[in-house]
Amino acid sequence: DAKTTQPTSMDCAEGRAANLPCNHSTISGNEYVYWYRQIHSQGPQYIIHGLKNNETNEMASLIITEDRKSSTLILPHATLRDTAVYYCITASNYQLIWGAGTKLIIKP
Amino acid sequence: NAGVTQTPKFRVLKTGQSMTLLCAQDMNHEYMYWYRQDPGMGLRLIHYSVGEGTTAKGEVPDGYNVSRLKKQNFLLGLESAAPSQTSVYFCASSYPIGQGMSSGANVLTFGAGSRLTVL
């Protein structure tokens, strides 16, 4: 079973920031937090990952709480093309366990 | 630079037939994976390989076999297809960031998927 908990679905207005939460209360010290997304039926796409510190790249920002039991993925200016299923995964090795993710719908 | 390429993209089989899915990557990645995804669900790991000539079982290995004879290729075989194997199959590859899995992250690059229907 997946070790993370995410809302089943979320809506966000185009141009606004999309904030996707993830709970991982059983995360261990050497486990990373990864975010991927899957647009329609395409192969999943890597977004960002982090261990302890907050991270930012050209796609998104990742905010990890100090106790590392939860995190938030932030898409700063959502567009219609960001409509996808977003997966939050924690793992310390190559066996990533995937949950059902959050269906994010960006509305015009 | 093609990344990860899967062939074929679509296939229809009859129960009991066999087939092989091919995954090729041109990124010199050490690790390769085969996942399956059923409707409305996340991905489940079938088999994986941490290097040429090595393979290992994932969460749902039954009914599948794999081979990694060359570093760039990872083959997934179905010896006797069953309707329960109707699914979308994704191949992925990765190279751990940092010095080994214990200290590094593992970022996967996925192929576009292969849709298999078993009648």
Side-chain angles (χ1 to χ4, degrees):
Chain A
D1 290 348
K3 298 185 289 184
T4 62
T5 304
Q6 299 177 252
T8 302
S9 63
M10 294 180 62
D11 293 344
C12 179
E14 188 178 18
R16 303 295 296 270
N19 296 273
L20 290 86
C22 179
N23 287 321
H24 32 80
S25 58
T26 61
I27 193 170
S28 58
N30 63 344
E31 288 187 315
Y32 285 82
V33 179
Y34 299 88
W35 283 85
Y36 287 79
R37 72 181 183 183
Q38 188 172 25
I39 296 173
H40 195 44
S41 298
Q42 300 175 17
Q45 176 190 25
Y46 165 78
I47 301 173
I48 199 167
H49 74 277
L51 185 61
K52 296 180 181 179
N53 300 320
N54 298 337
E55 302 289 343
T56 295
N57 63 20
E58 66 279 3
M59 290 182 67
S61 295
L62 174 60
I63 308 298
I64 302 174
T65 57
E66 192 170 344
D67 63 8
R68 302 210 323 128
K69 292 185 177 182
S70 66
S71 62
T72 300
L73 177 74
I74 301 172
L75 307 178
H77 304 287
T79 71
L80 298 178
R81 289 178 295 179
D82 291 321
T83 291
V85 177
Y86 288 76
Y87 297 97
C88 169
I89 301 162
T90 60
S92 61
N93 58 27
Y94 29 78
Q95 292 208 41
L96 278 62
I97 307 298
W98 299 66
T102 296
K103 173 68 173 177
L104 176 66
I105 299 173
I106 307 300
K107 297 187 172 181
Chain B
N1 190 339
V4 177
T5 303
Q6 296 181 225
T7 53
K9 289 184 170 51
F10 301 93
R11 185 73 188 269
V12 178
L13 290 177
K14 294 181 179 179
T15 298
Q17 288 185 319
S18 63
M19 75 158 295
T20 300
L21 296 176
L22 170 64
C23 177
Q25 53 95 2
D26 60 3
M27 297 172 286
N28 201 33
H29 282 172
E30 290 292 334
Y31 299 168
M32 296 188 75
Y33 316 78
W34 275 108
Y35 288 90
R36 63 176 287 174
Q37 186 175 34
D38 299 316
M41 298 179 64
L43 280 70
R44 291 185 291 170
L45 183 64
I46 304 172
H47 286 279
Y48 63 96
S49 167
V50 298
E52 181 179 322
T54 70
T55 63
K57 295 180 179 179
E59 299 173 73
V60 289
D62 294 343
Y64 305 95
N65 56 75
V66 288
S67 64
R68 183 107 181 261
L69 299 180
K70 294 183 179 181
K71 184 177 182 179
Q72 64 268 32
N73 295 337
F74 195 30
L75 278 64
L76 177 71
L78 285 72
E79 292 184 347
S80 179
S84 61
Q85 294 178 304
T86 293
S87 190
V88 180
Y89 291 84
F90 290 101
C91 176
S93 69
S94 70
Y95 194 92
I97 301 170
Q99 297 182 6
M101 286 310 304
S102 61
S103 60
N106 188 24
V107 174
L108 275 63
T109 300
F110 282 85
S114 297
R115 185 174 297 273
L116 174 65
T117 301
V118 183
L119 303 176

